[in-house]
Amino acid sequence: IMIMLLTIIIKTMLLPLVYKSYISTAKMRILKPEMDAIKEKHNNDLQKVQAENMALYKKAGVSPLSGCVPMLLQLPILFAMFQFFPHAFELRQKTFLWSNDLSQWDGPYLGFNIPFYGDHVSFFTLLMTASTLIYTHFNNQISGVTGQMKWMGYLMPVIFLGVLNDYASGLTWYYFVSNMITFGQQWVIRK
């Protein structure tokens, strides 16, 4: 429960950054047809395309980096959580739901090894992966991402499934709760 409260506090503190990023993404999505027209108009002249795009951004009051910078500012918090949960003495031998130790992986031992995944199933990691895939699906619909970038968004949670399966269940619980709060924040921002 403390992990959930910590997540709520962190996500509340980051809400202004998330809001700014969401608004920037929405503005860029609105400008996409005009940007496509500029690209089609100047086909091979990348300098003219870039110059006209920058003029369009300035006219619309949009910065292409304003959607990325807030997300980059969140990275130190994510890295801190990544280091905190496996090493937190307070989480050792603390149970929550089906996890017997929040500083270790949760779930049953399989008795055989699955390549890239491991010899056990971490249920919190499965929840986190499922919520991240759902988030990616809805985010792709909102942002209009297509092509390779769309599928890259689906590949990353699957990679995290294999990587985080051996990490502390407290960490994957944190990421799952963080995804749920992000869903709620985006729903409120859209309304």
Side-chain angles (χ1 to χ4, degrees):
I1 292 174
M2 289 305 295
I3 293 171
M4 187 170 58
L5 293 175
L6 174 69
T7 310
I8 291 169
I9 291 167
I10 291 171
K11 294 300 277 184
T12 302
M13 289 172 35
L14 294 174
L15 182 58
L17 297 175
V18 171
Y19 180 76
K20 185 174 183 171
S21 177
Y22 187 85
I23 295 301
S24 177
T25 302
K27 286 180 181 179
M28 292 296 285
R29 190 178 69 243
I30 291 169
L31 293 177
K32 186 164 178 13
E34 292 179 53
M35 292 167 49
D36 290 343
I38 291 169
K39 188 175 182 181
E40 191 174 310
K41 178 181 168 184
H42 297 293
N43 205 7
N44 293 328
D45 193 349
L46 294 177
Q47 278 187 318
K48 284 188 179 183
V49 169
Q50 188 174 9
E52 284 198 34
N53 280 344
M54 292 308 286
L56 179 64
Y57 296 152
K58 189 173 183 178
K59 179 182 167 189
V62 175
S63 170
L65 292 178
S66 65
C68 299
V69 172
M71 294 299 140
L72 288 176
L73 293 175
Q74 294 181 43
L75 279 179
I77 295 170
L78 293 176
F79 289 139
M81 294 297 126
F82 200 82
Q83 291 297 317
F84 170 74
F85 285 107
H87 304 294
F89 185 75
E90 296 81 9
L91 297 178
R92 296 186 195 280
Q93 304 299 316
K94 299 296 181 190
T95 61
F96 181 69
L97 296 177
W98 53 81
S99 177
N100 294 326
D101 185 348
L102 288 171
S103 67
Q104 299 291 320
W105 52 269
D106 62 304
Y109 179 72
L110 296 174
F112 58 91
N113 190 30
I114 300 173
F116 179 70
Y117 186 66
D119 59 0
H120 61 275
V121 176
S122 176
F123 292 127
F124 281 130
T125 306
L126 289 175
L127 280 173
M128 179 216 55
T129 302
S131 67
T132 305
L133 287 169
I134 293 167
Y135 171 76
T136 301
H137 174 73
F138 287 118
N139 201 35
N140 285 346
Q141 288 180 337
I142 292 168
S143 64
V145 173
T146 58
Q148 277 186 319
M149 289 305 292
K150 178 180 180 179
W151 296 111
M152 189 63 116
Y154 289 112
L155 180 62
M156 291 309 292
V158 174
I159 290 172
F160 285 141
L161 173 66
V163 171
L164 295 178
N165 192 51
D166 287 332
Y167 275 82
S169 57
L171 176 67
T172 52
W173 168 245
Y174 166 81
Y175 285 139
F176 171 71
V177 172
S178 180
N179 284 344
M180 295 294 103
I181 293 170
T182 300
F183 291 149
Q185 287 176 340
Q186 284 195 349
W187 182 79
V188 168
I189 290 170
R190 277 198 215 159
K191 292 294 178 185

